[in-house]
Amino acid sequence: ETQTSPLIAPGAFSGSGTVESHFIHSSHVSGRDVHVWLPERYGDCSERFAVVYFADGNNCFSRNGVSWEVDAALEKLMVSRLAPRTIAVGIPNAGKDRFREYCPQAVYEGLPEAWKAKLLESMCYVNGAPISNDYLRFVVEEVKPFIDAKYRTKSDVDNTFHVG
């Protein structure tokens, strides 16, 4: 369902275009809103767009704190013809599970047991071991297919990017 996110007030982003938010349910990690920036005139054409996905996407467009101003940067790159027409998707982190989702799971699993125990004692992993493989499944199996079905995307590998 398309909605305005409580993190992003209408008109509260730096560039032109629009930001839509969708709650994505997940069987791999906690579900969450994802924020989709559509360039100005997206709705006026039938063209397909490249897609860039941003981890820590709660910082892409929000004016409530730090903003990467992704919309303004992409807009400048597209106007200068340094980037193809692109949609930006901000995937917010999971808050208390942020480190668990982003820490490379294979690296953790290859550590000696004593090191694993030490990491689990740290504040970053208070909720358990890394679950980055599950996060990647969320992005690849749930978020990307939703975005490709909902928007006019170029879904091939040459037009799909991930930042973060």
Side-chain angles (χ1 to χ4, degrees), residues 68-118:
W68 297 338
E69 299 183 9
V70 165
D71 47 339
L74 277 173
E75 199 169 65
K76 287 177 187 174
L77 290 169
M78 288 186 291
V79 166
S80 302
R81 298 184 187 225
L82 296 172
R85 301 221 26 202
T86 304
I87 294 169
V89 178
I91 305 171
N93 67 58
K96 63 184 174 48
D97 283 333
R98 179 184 183 273
F99 286 101
R100 295 182 65 217
E101 286 188 348
Y102 296 163
C103 177
Q105 193 167 335
V107 172
Y108 171 84
E109 290 170 352
L111 293 173
E113 291 303 318
W115 291 17
K116 288 182 191 176
K118 198 168 225 175

Side-chain angles (χ1 to χ4, degrees), residues 4-13 19-21 35 57-58 61-64:
T4 300
S5 167
L7 293 175
I8 303 171
F13 51 95
V19 175
E20 297 180 354
S21 296
H35 311 295
N58 41 313
F61 320 107
S62 175
R63 305 316 290 165
N64 301 330

Side-chain angles (χ1 to χ4, degrees), residues 7 19 29 41 47 60 65 68 76 79 95-96 102 113 119 132 134 136 141 148-149 153 156 159-160:
L7 293 175
V19 175
V29 295
R41 296 194 179 103
E47 183 180 350
C60 286
W68 297 338
K76 287 177 187 174
V79 166
K96 63 184 174 48
Y102 296 163
E113 291 303 318
L119 277 175
S132 55
D134 291 334
L136 293 173
E141 297 173 7
D148 289 340
T153 66
D156 62 301
N159 290 286
T160 304

Side-chain angles (χ1 to χ4, degrees), residues 19-41:
V19 175
E20 297 180 354
S21 296
H22 308 277
F23 188 84
I24 307 290
H25 295 277
S26 178
S27 59
H28 303 294
V29 295
S30 59
R32 65 200 74 180
D33 281 323
V34 296
H35 311 295
V36 181
W37 174 74
L38 303 171
E40 190 172 13
R41 296 194 179 103

Side-chain angles (χ1 to χ4, degrees), residues 137-151:
R137 284 185 195 97
F138 169 61
V139 174
V140 172
E141 297 173 7
E142 296 168 335
V143 176
K144 184 180 182 319
F146 175 85
I147 297 298
D148 289 340
K150 174 87 176 151
Y151 298 99

